[in-house]
Amino acid sequence: MTDLRDTVREKLADRALQEALARSLGIVRDKREGALAELASFGDAVDAASRVRYQAVQRLRELLPQLESRLVGEGTHVLWARDAAEACRKVVDIARQRSVLRCVMSKSMVAEEIGLDAALKAAGTAVIQSDLGERVVQLAHQRPSHITAPCLHLSAAEVGRILHERSGIELSTDPEKLSRSVAKALRPVFFDAQMAVSGINMAVAETGHLVLVENEGNCRMGYTLAPVHVAVMGLEKVVASLQDAGTLLSVLARSAMGQRATCYVSLLPPRPFPGQERYLVIVDNGRTDAFGAGPMRDCLRCIRCGACLNACPVYERVGGHAYGWTYPGPIGIVLAPFLGPSEVRGEISNLCSLCGACTEACPVGIPLDRLIVLARGLSHPYRPADAVRKERRFLKWFGAAMGGRLRYRLSHLGHRLAGAWFPERTRQLEASLGWSGTRAAPRPAAELFRKRFRKRRELPSELGERDQGGRRDA
Amino acid sequence: MKVALFVPCLMDRFLPDAGMAVARLLESVGAQVVCDSRQTCCGQPAVNAGHPDLARKMALRMLKLADHELPVVVPSGSCVAMMRDAYGLLDLSGEDAERWSSLRGRVFELAEFLVHRGLADRVTARLDARVVVHHSCHHLRHVHGAGPLAALLGRLVGAEIVESPQALQCCGFGGVFSVKLPELSVALGRARLQAMLRLEPRYIALADAGCALHLGGIVEGDGLSSRVQVVHYAQLFTGDGLEVG
Ligand code: SF4
């Protein structure tokens, strides 16, 4: 990762990005508010969903084998992958065995996380993304910038231009028209595909159902038509029962994009369609580490709705690419210590002002801002050693200055005198801390509050009697 | 009634007027205010920077100084949130854990204290001015202080309190965030400020010293000091440090 501050500066200066983010997130936030207002008991729904996910994560060791045996019993193959490389290898093997030349992929964050697209391509299988947003970023040789809206960083005009230039779609700025044109262009791809790859939103341990949620119908086209369907999931995606899945569905779409429900909800029964082979690849890739990481385990509750991104004031300004890996926004920060590449594990947690808007938005009750503080604690080994040393030195100095009454006063006096005697140096120091120019640095007061308070107390006339307690110890 | 006032380090050093306002407001409703001058910082900066080990000493010191029975009133949402919740990140045990559990139950944000103790009704003050309240995030989401603050501000005769949706969004201070990513921090602050200025307030009132210094710094840096003053809300009641006109 290049210097985070430089990345942020660059994003702030990118007018087109700023406009696209402000516009899209403005719409999403309004829609979400509307959708929540409709459901009088959204708070209750969130409580129920939080419980469902909390329990599912606690019971992973029991639910995953249950899921496996349900699926295997009905003829779905279950493959386990410890890390990204193993997951890709297993999917590539499936493609090789059936000489798959063309694969259609519907939106999957895990596939993105493990780099499945590139792995298949390297093995000679062409991959076409069938989700409109994913298709756009694929054509533009970019990466998704949002969990549920991959091209949120682009304006409608840019999307239209990319589709026109890279795949001959008629030039337009109308999202409806564009998505119809893309759907039409993709039709033959679905019939041609020898393999469909999808993510899943939930896997039901008790019944073996795979639950898929989407708006475009591309996912459904893919898994219906292709002779081989490979579903990839992170191992945390399991839930206990269909009832639980329903509870989550009641909050998922509302939180995600402010819809009452998504256009399509697929419940794939554990037995594959006649004549079709189905694989479920269950990916660990750091999730077990998260499971064992104390309170950080809560990050496994996530249902990838994207609400925390939409609510985040930092995401709104820097966009998803600034986070440097698959998962941006608050959830990206808390997943990074376990799932992220080491180059993002150092600085990503600084993309947060700890405002807590994410925690407020999360439909499964993940205390995201609290976890971000913990993620900062885990980030130090991945940061430049001298930066960490400097930071700790400063905090130690600060701690010492705060460690006693006299030291506290002396440090205040020192600050004041520095400003008076060495104004230039002080200004430089403040500027190096970013407090200069457009944001004036705070000036130490001539007299501390405590001193003024005590002085006033010593004037007997004001209070009538002298309050000893006011002087010192409470 | 006796209350222990904790004026956080930033307010003590940079905004003593706000501290005086807090003390006077408490006294005006009949509270006897004591203030232990050994108090310094609750340890928030180190916790939020991801160095809980360096915050421990400060937190333990704070807990020791607050090892009494009095209600502790703090005019800063983020410090309240720290002492009430985030000390849980410090693995406290034994005597320290006991001190913490005692403190948690009697540490209050100023408006929260006044409202919950039924003291807000005794507040009488007048200010003929338009005020926008910017809700500091910790005060809003951890202390859930918006309700009490609105109730208290309802006692301010003559004041026109106006709401802004932008005033519910982060001002971009964020402690270490403000120095690690200053451009972003300022961009967020300026966006909120501009939205609030469209409402033409004379004062922008906050419940957190850090946010006040940050927004106040932008006001000054942008040459807006003659138009609007960023203050702690207690100042509206007592007039301490208020620029008029
Ligand atoms: S952390 Fe919560 S809000 Fe964010 S994507 Fe996951 S479920 Fe949604």
Side-chain angles (χ1 to χ4, degrees), chain A residues 217-250:
Chain A
N218 59 306
C219 189
R220 205 177 57 147
M221 286 279 277
Y223 72 66
T224 313
L225 292 171
V228 182
H229 173 207
V230 178
V232 219
M233 70 174 241
L235 58 72
E236 81 283 14
K237 282 272 186 272
V238 68
V239 293
S241 63
L242 274 175
Q243 185 76 45
D244 283 359
T247 302
L248 295 180
L249 286 176
S250 75

Side-chain angles (χ1 to χ4, degrees), chain A residues 323-363:
Chain A
Y323 295 79
W325 75 302
T326 315
Y327 301 101
I331 185 62
I333 296 176
V334 301
L335 291 174
F338 314 104
L339 278 59
S342 59
E343 61 283 9
V344 305
R345 291 187 184 190
E347 297 304 326
I348 189 173
S349 59
N350 289 321
L351 283 167
C352 173
S353 66
L354 298 179
C355 80
C358 47
T359 303
E360 194 174 74
C362 178

Side-chain angles (χ1 to χ4, degrees), chain A residues 260-332:
Chain A
R260 293 189 189 120
T262 52
C263 298
Y264 302 91
V265 176
S266 302
L267 272 179
L268 289 183
R271 179 172 306 170
F273 302 137
Q276 190 187 50
E277 275 203 86
R278 188 182 298 146
Y279 294 83
L280 178 66
V281 184
I282 302 178
V283 181
D284 182 333
N285 204 33
R287 287 163 176 80
T288 305
D289 296 340
F291 186 82
M296 290 298 280
R297 179 185 287 184
D298 279 345
C299 72
L300 295 176
R301 273 197 235 167
C302 174
I303 56 172
R304 306 285 190 268
C305 73
C308 55
L309 282 60
N310 301 340
C312 175
V314 171
Y315 179 89
E316 185 183 15
R317 287 310 182 113
V318 302
H321 293 149
Y323 295 79
W325 75 302
T326 315
Y327 301 101
I331 185 62

Side-chain angles (χ1 to χ4, degrees), chain A residues 42-85:
Chain A
F42 191 72
D44 296 342
V46 165
D47 288 346
S50 306
R51 254 193 318 275
V52 162
R53 284 304 298 152
Y54 173 78
Q55 277 159 8
V57 170
Q58 293 306 105
R59 294 174 59 201
L60 275 179
R61 283 204 193 87
E62 164 199 343
L63 296 180
L64 284 169
Q66 193 188 356
L67 173 71
E68 179 177 31
S69 73
R70 288 299 304 171
L71 288 170
V72 172
E74 297 289 342
T76 293
H77 307 283
V78 175
L79 307 173
W80 297 85
R82 194 156 301 142
D83 54 24

Side-chain angles (χ1 to χ4, degrees), chain B residues 130-134 160-164 167 196 199-201 203:
Chain B
R130 186 180 294 169
V131 179
V132 177
V133 177
H134 187 275
E160 187 190 350
I161 312 287
V162 279
E163 296 288 335
S164 154
M196 291 191 280
L199 304 168
E200 306 196 332
Y203 304 106

Side-chain angles (χ1 to χ4, degrees), chain B residues 195-216:
Chain B
M196 291 191 280
L197 283 178
R198 277 196 285 279
L199 304 168
E200 306 196 332
R202 180 65 190 87
Y203 304 106
I204 293 174
L206 292 98
D208 208 301
C211 310
L213 289 169
H214 164 71
L215 280 181

